[in-house]
Amino acid sequence: MTNNTRRDFLLKSGLGLSGAALAGLTPGLGLNVATAAELADPLAPKAPHHAAKIKSVIWLHQNGAPSTLDLYDYKPELIRLAGQDVPASFLKGIKTSTQGGVGKLYASNRTWKQHGESGAWFSDLVPNIAKHADKITFIKSSVTVGATHDISILKLNTGDLSPGRPALGSWISYALGSANPDLPPYVVLYSGDREPSAGGVNWASGFLPAVYQGTAFRPGNSPILYLDRPDVRTANQQRSSLDLLKKLNGLGAEKFPNDTELKARLRSYELADRMQVAAPEAVDLSKESETTRAAYGLNEEITSGYGTTLLRARRLVERGVRFVHVVTGVPSGQSEVTGQNVWDAHDNLEKNHGIMAKAVDKPIGALLEDLKQRGLLDTTLVVWTSEFARTSYGQSGNGRDHNPWGYTQWMAGGGLKAGFTYGETDAIGLQVADKEKAVDTYDLHATILQLMGLDHLKTTFLNNGRSERPTVVYGKVITDILA
């Protein structure tokens, strides 16, 4: 008779914790490389593959898909041809059966100017972002797949069209661990009065351990559920309860000294305890100067919601949070105008984009300036992105349909060629002009990982016998935009 179990055998042979899966616990490396400390604390800091250019990412998802033709992509030929049918040559190679068919070419009532030494074009909708033209790296040859918002948003955040894969922020948390033991490495912020549509699946950890999923902070003065101590409970009572819980957990852990899963669970409780002190301070804006609050638009109804999220984003990266995922919401008091899908202007684009641009332009301009003044822009990457953009032809007479074939995204921060534009769309802004320069979601992810010090080909996790990586089986680093 023997008391030896399969688990004992694995532990004694040096594998432990489902040894066959250990190959995935350290990016790009093989079995038995993960240290005991890393297994006991999955958020322990880990070394990157190469020297990182940045420490944090602020991911600005413009939910609902703005028309970048009306913000950054000046097309005189579109203005000249407005009201006419789309010439067949511009439709070659694409399927346009999204929703409304192909309408007449449409030019909104915009005025355009060049800004900065780079001479980048901006419309009158984004005057504050335009002031930072020479900080921005444009990608004007962005493409994606998927004709619906939820599917393309999922691809934007996780690289896949179906739920189940980790979000980019989860991969970064897994590969690098936490830079601040008192805060989650991956935080989600959103403005508006409701969680974004299909929200949690877009910051889930997928097949990675749950500890790497995004931690959502709600709008308002108490952004973290159950963080505040109940009024009927004193601080001493809570401290005594937590100390007792920790002691009991410790006694249980002593019985299973090699159970790293249990140790990881205990670490998560300890993080929650520490967050009760660190998290409220991190999101508390009361100590920010009135000048800073005004710059972000906290004193104006239309900008206060998004301004609050961006000021909190700055405070979080200042405190070592690696990935801050920001989703735009409907500005206060504007639901009846913009609808629930914020930038989603299938009709009445002038009114929709006038409101949405005003809500985000001032806070984004303030964020770029604030990061620069504090010396954080060199170590932070700001990414302005969306699930897709809008067609150059109209819909409903005064709106635009979905466009995954050619649109603009931009980044600003460390490791990039500032004031640089990569790629372009065709003369009417419908498709990428040079397919060799098309930038898919996978390429964007690969480039961001590169700036964080990670090789997307070596950032791997063994899932059900398959070595998975953030960019699935695709992706290339956009080396032309790197400084």
Side-chain angles (χ1 to χ4, degrees), residues 32-86:
N32 289 332
V33 174
T35 66
E38 288 173 333
L39 294 176
D41 182 3
L43 294 178
K46 304 180 185 74
H49 299 131
H50 54 260
K53 297 291 186 180
I54 58 171
K55 297 178 180 178
S56 301
V57 176
I58 300 177
W59 180 259
L60 303 181
H61 173 209
Q62 304 303 305
N63 190 15
S67 171
T68 55
L69 269 173
D70 297 287
L71 302 175
Y72 312 114
D73 203 9
Y74 177 48
K75 295 296 178 183
E77 186 69 0
L78 174 61
I79 297 171
R80 187 182 73 83
L81 296 175
Q84 301 181 31
D85 290 332
V86 183

Side-chain angles (χ1 to χ4, degrees), residues 375-397:
L376 291 170
L377 192 59
D378 289 340
T379 58
T380 304
L381 185 70
V382 178
V383 184
W384 190 100
T385 183
S386 189
E387 59 266 33
F388 38 66
R390 298 276 153 185
T391 56
S392 32
Y393 52 81
Q395 184 184 7
S396 306

Side-chain angles (χ1 to χ4, degrees), residues 335-476:
S335 296
E336 72 284 358
V337 178
T338 62
Q340 294 187 8
N341 288 326
V342 284
W343 284 101
D344 195 15
H346 289 279
D347 54 22
N348 211 347
L349 182 141
E350 291 280 2
K351 194 166 193 176
N352 175 285
H353 276 37
I355 290 169
M356 290 306 303
K358 190 171 184 180
V360 306
D361 173 58
K362 185 174 184 177
I364 292 174
L367 175 67
L368 294 175
E369 182 64 27
D370 201 9
L371 291 172
K372 181 68 174 178
Q373 292 297 323
R374 294 172 182 270
L376 291 170
L377 192 59
D378 289 340
T379 58
T380 304
L381 185 70
V382 178
V383 184
W384 190 100
T385 183
S386 189
E387 59 266 33
F388 38 66
R390 298 276 153 185
T391 56
S392 32
Y393 52 81
Q395 184 184 7
S396 306
N398 57 7
R400 299 190 189 278
D401 208 344
H402 301 169
N403 179 359
W405 312 294
Y407 57 99
T408 298
Q409 300 177 96
W410 60 255
M411 299 190 286
L416 296 173
K417 293 178 183 175
F420 181 77
T421 295
Y422 180 81
E424 62 180 343
T425 53
D426 58 32
I428 62 170
L430 183 60
Q431 294 196 63
V432 169
D434 181 355
K435 305 300 184 186
E436 293 296 318
K437 289 191 174 183
V439 175
D440 204 322
T441 304
Y442 312 109
D443 308 318
L444 183 66
H445 287 191
T447 305
I448 292 169
L449 291 166
Q450 179 77 12
L451 291 168
M452 290 291 292
L454 298 170
D455 184 332
H456 73 109
L457 300 176
K458 295 180 179 179
T459 305
T460 58
F461 183 87
L462 196 64
N463 175 44
N464 291 329
R466 174 187 170 91
S467 182
E468 299 277 5
R469 57 184 174 89
T471 50
V472 195
V473 294
Y474 308 100
K476 63 181 184 300

Side-chain angles (χ1 to χ4, degrees), residues 236-249 273:
N236 286 338
Q237 286 175 323
Q238 178 169 292
R239 184 68 267 162
S240 296
S241 296
L242 290 172
D243 287 345
L244 175 60
L245 179 63
K246 184 176 181 178
K247 183 176 181 179
L248 293 174
N249 284 334
D273 183 19

